[in-house]
Amino acid sequence: MQTIQAKNEDRVLKRTVLIVSAFAAFLVPFLNSAVNLALPAIGRDMQTNALGLSWIVSSSMLASAVFLLPFGRLGDIAGRKKVFSTGIVLFTISSFLIVFSHSITSLIILRVLQGVSSAMIFGTSLAILTSVFPQGERGHAMGISVTSTYLGLSAGPVIGGFLTETFGWRSIFG
């Protein structure tokens, strides 16, 4: 009886980890690709030039690239779940705060925070999948995670364009 219960708990854990990981793998690229499409609207609203607009995109990517390996290592030392969860929370908070951003400087700073938090997410998510799924199931789980990433990249311009056109650029962060 305990064996069946343990198998069910293991299955629930795997499914939960996969769903959370896939959602995070979708959301970060989705938002980054949606922001690219919203740049003209942001520029009009914030009355900024091309240099300011380029920093909206570059700041997030730069922060993510700089912090990816350190957060992966921190996840190995302090715990992957802790770093991943903190990344999700920071990404959510920074996205929420961007909705209320009224200057290009605050928007860029919050995009840096999004980049840092996305490094926390991506630096640990595949390691979490690897630790939860046995060798025979890892390929499937990682495939779902990678597919979610590319779905986010593909859906970002379409959904982000619709949201920007219909509700304004802030709606892609809300």
Side-chain angles (χ1 to χ4, degrees):
M1 190 67 172
Q2 283 183 327
T3 313
I4 294 172
Q5 185 177 0
K7 285 183 180 181
N8 286 336
E9 289 174 3
D10 185 48
R11 194 173 319 140
V12 169
L13 172 68
K14 288 178 185 176
R15 185 175 295 146
T16 303
V17 167
L18 185 58
I19 289 169
V20 170
S21 178
F23 180 71
F26 173 87
L27 191 60
V28 173
F30 167 82
L31 196 56
N32 286 334
S33 62
V35 165
N36 286 329
L37 201 69
L39 286 177
I42 295 170
R44 283 190 301 276
D45 187 42
M46 298 272 184
Q47 298 172 351
T48 191
N49 57 19
L51 182 62
L53 292 175
S54 69
W55 274 107
I56 292 170
V57 176
S58 299
S59 60
S60 176
M61 282 198 267
L62 184 62
S64 184
V66 166
F67 288 103
L68 186 64
L69 288 176
F71 280 127
R73 180 68 178 136
L74 181 64
D76 291 340
I77 295 168
R80 295 175 186 131
K81 181 180 174 184
K82 188 182 296 184
V83 173
F84 181 85
S85 300
T86 303
I88 294 287
V89 169
L90 287 176
F91 192 84
T92 303
I93 290 170
S94 61
S95 295
F96 177 74
L97 291 175
I98 285 175
V99 172
F100 301 104
S101 180
H102 292 290
S103 74
I104 192 69
T105 304
S106 65
L107 180 57
I108 291 170
I109 290 169
L110 290 168
R111 288 287 291 160
V112 168
L113 183 58
Q114 278 189 329
V116 170
S117 60
S118 69
M120 296 171 89
I121 293 167
F122 279 110
T124 56
S125 65
L126 286 179
I128 291 171
L129 286 175
T130 301
S131 66
V132 170
F133 286 89
Q135 191 171 4
E137 298 174 18
R138 276 186 206 145
H140 182 70
M142 289 181 173
I144 290 172
S145 180
V146 170
T147 300
S148 296
T149 301
Y150 285 103
L151 282 174
L153 282 171
S154 301
V158 176
I159 298 170
F162 172 77
L163 290 172
T164 300
E165 195 65 32
T166 307
F167 304 108
W169 68 268
R170 296 174 195 278
S171 64
I172 61 175
F173 295 99

